[in-house]
Amino acid sequence: MRKFKMFIKSYWGWVLAGFITVAMILLSIYGLSKLESFYRTMTLATMPVQFVMAAIHALIFVALYLHFFMRRGFGQNKKAKIKIDDVKVTFKEVIGLEGAKREAMEVVQLIKDRKQLQKMGGKIIKGLLLMGPPGTGKTLLAKAIATECGIPFINMAGSEFVEVFVGVGASRVRNLFKKAREYAYTDGACIIFIDEIEVIGRGRTFTSFGGGEETNSTQNQLLVEMDGLEGKKSNIIVIAATNADLSVLDKALLRPGRFDRQITITLPNLKEREQIFEFYMKKVNVSPELNVSRLAKKAVRKSPADIENIVKEAALIATRKKKEAIEMDDIVDAMERIELGLETHLEMTPQELEMVAYHEAGHAVALYMLHPTDDVFKITVKSHGSALGLVSHYPKEELHTANKEKYIADIIVSLASHVAEKMKYGTTSDGVSSDFRNAMQRATFMVWRFGMGNSGYIGDFSAIPAELMSENLKEKLNNETMAILNSCYSKAEELLKANWDVVDAIVKRLLVDKEMDFDDLEETLDKLGKKRKYPQPEALNEPVVNDFGDLVPQTMDREQD
């Protein structure tokens, strides 16, 4: 009965139009029956022409209406209801995200027990914010919540509310919540999912020139609608997703009563990566010898979307090689192609190629033998993008912060390329510019932000306004930065001098094969009887994830000018 009432309420115009049409047809038939035969025949003869003309006029009107209103989206919400039967995403199908799923299950339970909650005087949550890197499954988790609750799900992106004309976005927000109330009335509750909420949820700006008025009005309408959910019989839950930092969003969105519950979705850990690989590999032909556990160890910092892309790319590579199943080398090639990009096939002279090889060998030896947390993934002198060669690396074990030793090792590895070039040729090239930039950045952050210098200065000096800092203090901090760089340079020289035979062996291999992976490097050092300072752990786990993770590069490359 509720659905019938809702249908009449929603489509009363069509019902009325149908009733009037039927009444007019019946009256026309009655009128024709009262006419004389001559006039009745003449009227019936002209009726087809009248119908054709009416149809042409109607088509013209509809075409103009669709062009100027529907197609341009003037305030219209193009999203229709997505029935729960069409979603069908359960929590079992959401691979990984164990922590996020536990929190989401609490939300599901609150929605299911909403009647009991309201009886106790409590209020159902109105806003849930999903935060995390791209491709981690935020949309999938929102669909799973709707499926588990058994309620309708409306999916929209933040960009769909943005228009040039002021007021259009706000109109779309009103239409969206109007539809959601209708669905909630018939089904008991409804979920609105807004992806990329930062598009309309950024901190509002107010200028005398009216800049940002459209975004402001759209966000204001969203805030008003969420406040309007208070005390409504129909329950509407708004779930939003964002890749941005919370500081980007307007504070009004995050206050209690709006998006006051937040779920952080992180990149998958080792066990979850194994599960994700197994899930996507069921869809393709895979060699039984392929070690999924080893794959998961190599796929640090990879999201579920990245892993899916790796498996798809590996399938393409295996197909080009005329293979019947994906093998380990296909996966490695896929990861390299996605991470490093396509090879650019630059032609280098033998002398230039050799210098690039020594440059990368310096990186590789320092990274392999000295670094406490990272290990070599690939060494190559094949050009990729602007890099003439590069060393790609990944973490050895699960860490969530970085210490002074890690930063010192990063600087030594960066400077080792310059040291190798100078030791071999007595001169250096401009290919070390990015290495110097990385080394200088780390040393500066150690002294200025992390209190890792040797001078005893503690604090984050970058927080002090430049005009308030004395020139004497600046000079001392900069001198401390240079002292760290000089010390690391001396350590890089000492390391490469003691292991120059390893450098030569790597260069010899690179000039022939153009690339080496971890196993090739380990084999080379074993033959020379060399040992690393920090042994390889039994299991590779997680990437280094911390507040200053943007300082940790994926590769050390020799850039071309």
Side-chain angles (χ1 to χ4, degrees):
M1 182 57 70
R2 269 193 168 194
K3 292 191 177 182
F4 178 73
K5 288 180 180 179
M6 198 70 240
F7 177 81
I8 297 298
K9 184 179 177 182
S10 301
Y11 302 102
W12 64 269
W14 290 101
V15 173
L16 181 62
F19 177 78
I20 293 173
T21 301
V22 171
M24 289 179 67
I25 292 173
L26 292 175
L27 287 172
S28 297
I29 294 172
Y30 177 77
L32 284 172
S33 68
K34 298 298 182 180
L35 291 175
E36 295 181 6
S37 60
F38 171 76
Y39 292 108
R40 186 164 54 245
T41 302
M42 185 175 64
T43 302
L44 290 172
T46 57
M47 280 182 68
V49 177
Q50 293 175 355
F51 284 143
V52 170
M53 293 302 296
I56 292 173
H57 292 155
L59 287 173
I60 293 172
F61 173 79
V62 170
L64 290 173
Y65 176 79
L66 290 174
H67 178 73
F68 287 104
F69 291 92
M70 298 299 290
R71 185 172 294 178
R72 299 194 178 188
F74 283 0
Q76 296 297 320
N77 190 342
K78 302 173 187 176
K79 285 289 179 180
K81 174 182 175 181
I82 301 177
K83 295 181 180 178
I84 192 62
D85 294 336
D86 296 332
V87 178
K88 289 184 179 177
V89 178
T90 63
F91 279 128
K92 290 182 180 179
E93 296 174 72
V94 182
I95 310 299
L97 310 183
E98 297 303 327
K101 282 196 291 187
R102 281 194 297 270
E103 294 187 43
M105 278 301 298
E106 291 183 13
V107 176
V108 170
Q109 202 59 43
L110 286 173
I111 296 172
K112 285 183 175 180
D113 298 339
R114 56 187 177 274
K115 291 183 180 178
Q116 184 65 26
L117 183 65
Q118 289 167 350
K119 218 180 260 188
M120 293 177 63
K123 297 176 183 177
I124 190 171
I125 62 169
K126 293 190 294 183
L128 173 65
L129 184 63
L130 305 178
M131 304 175 295
T136 49
K138 295 184 288 294
T139 303
L140 196 67
L141 186 62
K143 290 182 177 180
I145 292 173
T147 303
E148 296 290 341
C149 294
I151 58 179
F153 178 82
I154 303 176
N155 180 9
M156 290 194 74
S159 56
E160 295 183 61
F161 296 100
V162 179
E163 281 289 348
V164 175
F165 303 100
V166 176
V168 175
S171 175
R172 288 181 178 170
V173 172
R174 285 192 295 271
N175 291 338
L176 175 64
F177 277 82
K178 181 182 176 182
K179 285 188 176 182
R181 287 189 179 94
E182 293 173 359
Y183 300 151
Y185 180 75
T186 57
D187 295 88
C190 179
I191 286 179
I192 296 175
F193 177 67
I194 304 176
D195 201 4
E196 302 166 351
I197 188 66
E198 69 275 7
V199 176
I200 59 172
R202 289 179 177 273
R204 286 167 289 181
T205 56
F206 304 95
T207 66
S208 56
F209 301 101
E213 279 190 15
E214 167 59 8
T215 303
N216 289 353
S217 64
T218 304
Q219 186 181 147
N220 289 340
Q221 188 62 46
L222 176 61
L223 297 175
V224 169
E225 293 291 346
M226 292 191 72
D227 286 340
L229 300 179
E230 191 73 37
K232 293 286 182 183
K233 291 182 180 179
S234 53
N235 299 303
I236 299 174
I237 301 95
V238 184
I239 301 179
T242 181
N243 305 323
D245 189 79
L246 275 182
S247 60
V248 173
L249 300 179
D250 196 284
K251 292 180 180 178
L253 279 172
L254 304 176
R255 76 155 176 80
R258 289 171 182 157
F259 290 107
D260 50 1
R261 179 165 292 221
Q262 297 150 14
I263 296 179
T264 301
I265 301 175
T266 59
L267 294 172
N269 57 33
L270 176 63
K271 183 179 178 182
E272 291 170 345
R273 289 197 300 272
E274 286 186 24
Q275 294 172 350
I276 295 167
F277 266 114
E278 289 172 353
F279 175 79
Y280 286 114
M281 284 181 173
K282 289 177 182 176
K283 302 179 180 181
V284 294
N285 294 329
V286 179
S287 170
E289 298 178 359
L290 200 148
N291 190 329
V292 177
S293 178
R294 187 182 179 192
L295 272 182
K297 294 170 187 175
K298 286 181 175 291
V300 292
R301 295 193 182 98
K302 296 294 186 292
S303 69
D306 293 330
I307 294 174
E308 180 185 12
N309 194 26
I310 288 171
V311 174
K312 287 181 178 178
E313 186 65 32
L316 293 175
I317 292 172
T319 302
R320 283 196 294 270
K321 293 179 180 178
K322 308 296 183 185
K323 294 183 178 180
E324 294 183 358
I326 297 173
E327 298 176 350
M328 188 66 179
D329 62 325
D330 302 318
I331 295 284
V332 172
D333 288 346
M335 293 173 67
E336 180 182 344
R337 174 166 294 189
I338 292 169
E339 186 172 322
L340 308 181
L342 293 173
E343 184 182 350
T344 51
H345 299 286
L346 290 179
E347 291 294 332
M348 290 187 281
T349 64
Q351 294 79 10
E352 187 178 28
L353 181 63
E354 185 183 72
M355 178 171 275
V356 173
Y358 273 100
H359 178 107
E360 303 306 337
H363 280 317
V365 170
L367 180 64
Y368 181 87
M369 302 194 70
L370 193 67
H371 207 290
T373 64
D374 289 16
D375 224 331
V376 176
F377 175 70
K378 175 78 73 173
I379 317 167
T380 179
V381 291
K382 294 178 179 179
S383 55
H384 294 80
S386 63
L388 301 180
L390 53 87
V391 175
S392 179
H393 62 107
Y394 59 95
K396 298 176 185 177
E397 56 188 342
E398 182 175 2
L399 295 171
H400 300 288
T401 187
N403 57 23
K404 182 178 179 179
E405 289 68 31
K406 194 266 182 191
Y407 274 97
I408 291 293
D410 284 342
I411 297 172
I412 293 173
V413 172
S414 293
L415 297 177
S417 59
H418 181 272
V419 173
E421 289 184 16
K422 194 170 183 180
M423 288 177 64
K424 175 63 179 178
Y425 302 104
T427 186
T428 60
S429 68
D430 58 4
V432 298
S433 61
S434 63
D435 298 326
F436 281 170
R437 183 169 59 250
N438 291 334
M440 182 68 76
Q441 190 180 50
R442 282 164 175 74
T444 301
F445 272 66
M446 286 176 66
V447 175
W448 284 72
R449 288 185 58 183
F450 306 142
M452 293 181 179
N454 298 319
S455 60
Y457 289 102
I458 304 298
D460 184 357
F461 297 98
S462 63
I464 303 175
E467 61 273 13
L468 299 180
M469 185 178 290
S470 68
E471 293 300 324
N472 183 45
L473 179 57
K474 289 181 184 178
E475 183 179 357
K476 287 182 178 179
L477 293 173
N478 288 332
N479 288 340
E480 180 68 15
T481 300
M482 292 306 302
I484 290 176
L485 289 170
N486 291 331
S487 173
C488 290
Y489 191 90
S490 298
K491 291 177 181 177
E493 279 186 319
E494 182 183 344
L495 176 69
L496 293 189
K497 282 179 182 178
N499 297 280
W500 192 252
D501 54 341
V502 179
V503 176
D504 282 332
I506 292 172
V507 170
K508 185 178 179 181
R509 178 73 176 266
L510 288 175
L511 293 177
V512 175
D513 299 333
K514 298 295 189 294
E515 62 184 16
M516 296 175 67
D517 59 19
F518 173 82
D519 293 334
D520 297 328
L521 181 61
E522 195 166 46
E523 181 184 348
T524 299
L525 271 81
D526 284 343
K527 287 180 180 179
L528 296 173
K530 300 290 183 177
K531 293 183 179 180
R532 51 171 43 182
K533 182 177 179 181
Y534 297 97
Q536 174 82 351
E538 292 182 4
L540 303 176
N541 293 311
E542 282 298 290
V544 176
V545 180
N546 47 51
D547 291 338
F548 33 86
D550 56 327
L551 298 181
V552 185
Q554 284 288 78
T555 59
M556 291 153 298
D557 57 3
R558 184 186 189 281
E559 293 182 349
Q560 58 177 332
D561 248 355

